């Protein structure tokens, strides 16, 4: 799939200034998404290059980011990364790699382990914050439709940041929940 962005504005990732002058198109390596019908799915995204409107900025030009779709510099979409983390939490990195490969994806267990560590770091920093005003609790199944993979997730209601994930049987605490002693 080839996508071309039609953005009119973009915030400079270096100084935050909103810029409106798009210059060139920038085409980068494809981004891998969740596999479908036994095949890997890639997005070729043609992004715009903007002139930073802030004369004091360290950069003259920047390539627009794709918030909510893919992190900067990553070759896989955010939802692909989340799927890796959810599967690795349920079964470990190597079984997660095997399962994703069977479905057609191209991914290594090192990459999956990197996503799990990044997610764990994010959870720890979410937990360290003391600005949670409303706590939300949600029940999810790590494997769709499989009640034995059920987890309880505690979130910050206002920001939707995940704070803790606890396996429902409470005997198997997920690595991410280790920081919190139940
Ligand atoms: Zn800038």
């Amino acid at each position: 799939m080839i996508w071309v962005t039609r953005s009119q504005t973009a915030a400079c990732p270096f100084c935050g200034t909103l810029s409106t002058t798009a210059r060139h198109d920038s085409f980068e390596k494809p981004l891998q998404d969740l596999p479908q019908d036994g095949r890997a799915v890639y997005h070729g995204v043609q992004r715009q290059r903007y002139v930073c409107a802030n004369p004091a900025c360290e950069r003259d030009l920047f390539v627009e980011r794709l918030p909510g779709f893919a992190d900067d510099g990553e070759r896989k979409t955010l939802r692909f990364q989340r799927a890796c983390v959810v599967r690795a939490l349920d079964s470990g990195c190597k079984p997660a790699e095997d399962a994703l490969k069977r479905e057609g994806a191209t991914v290594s267990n090192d990459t999956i382990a990197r996503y799990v560590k990044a997610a764990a770091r994010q959870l720890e920093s979410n937990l360290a914050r003391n600005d949670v005003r409303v706590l939300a609790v949600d029940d999810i199944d790590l494997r769709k439709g499989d009640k034995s993979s059920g987890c309880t997730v505690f979130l910050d209601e206002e920001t939707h940041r995940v704070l803790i994930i606890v396996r429902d049987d409470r005997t198997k605490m997920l690595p991410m929940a280790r920081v919190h002693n139940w």
Side-chain angles (χ1 to χ4, degrees):
M1 267 177 274
I2 305 292
W3 303 92
V4 179
T5 73
R6 299 265 183 244
S7 61
Q8 306 283 309
T9 60
C12 172
F14 303 97
C15 70
T17 305
L18 205 61
S19 297
T20 54
T21 320
R23 260 207 184 159
H24 305 289
D25 291 328
S26 156
F27 200 83
E28 285 156 40
K29 283 183 193 157
L31 283 162
Q32 193 181 166
D33 204 347
L34 293 174
Q36 218 165 9
D37 302 326
R39 288 164 186 260
V41 173
Y42 291 91
H43 301 280
V45 185
Q46 197 170 356
R47 297 195 265 174
Q48 310 218 59
R49 200 178 292 274
Y50 279 86
V51 178
C52 182
N54 173 8
C57 182
E58 55 177 303
R59 299 293 182 98
D60 299 329
L61 290 169
F62 64 90
V63 176
E64 66 178 320
R65 302 301 197 246
L66 304 168
F69 186 68
D71 280 340
D72 190 40
E74 290 291 344
R75 300 265 56 90
K76 295 181 173 58
T77 63
L78 285 171
R79 66 178 181 181
F80 187 107
Q81 292 190 27
R82 276 189 220 111
C84 290
V85 172
V86 165
R87 283 154 190 255
L89 286 178
D90 188 42
S91 61
C93 291
K94 183 66 182 137
E97 176 198 3
D98 294 342
L100 283 159
K101 280 184 171 167
R102 273 197 304 276
E103 290 167 37
T106 305
V107 67
S108 70
N109 67 41
D110 287 348
T111 300
I112 295 174
R114 186 164 62 79
Y115 296 154
V116 171
K117 281 180 197 152
R121 272 197 302 276
Q122 182 64 53
L123 268 190
E124 282 202 54
S125 77
N126 288 353
L127 256 187
R129 300 176 70 119
N130 57 7
D131 58 354
V132 179
R133 296 193 301 176
V134 187
L135 189 66
V137 182
D138 201 1
D139 290 314
I140 59 159
D141 294 331
L142 289 179
R143 285 187 301 274
K144 250 186 202 157
D146 180 355
K147 291 277 171 242
S148 72
S149 69
C151 290
T152 302
V153 182
F154 293 80
L155 307 113
D156 179 335
E157 171 77 16
E158 292 173 318
T159 62
H160 304 290
R161 282 194 305 254
V162 175
L163 303 170
I164 315 167
I165 304 172
V166 184
R167 198 67 181 250
D168 277 349
D169 63 13
R170 304 284 156 93
T171 55
K172 275 192 221 158
M173 215 175 280
L174 295 175
M176 285 185 180
R178 240 184 1 217
V179 276
H180 191 96
N181 274 327
W182 274 59

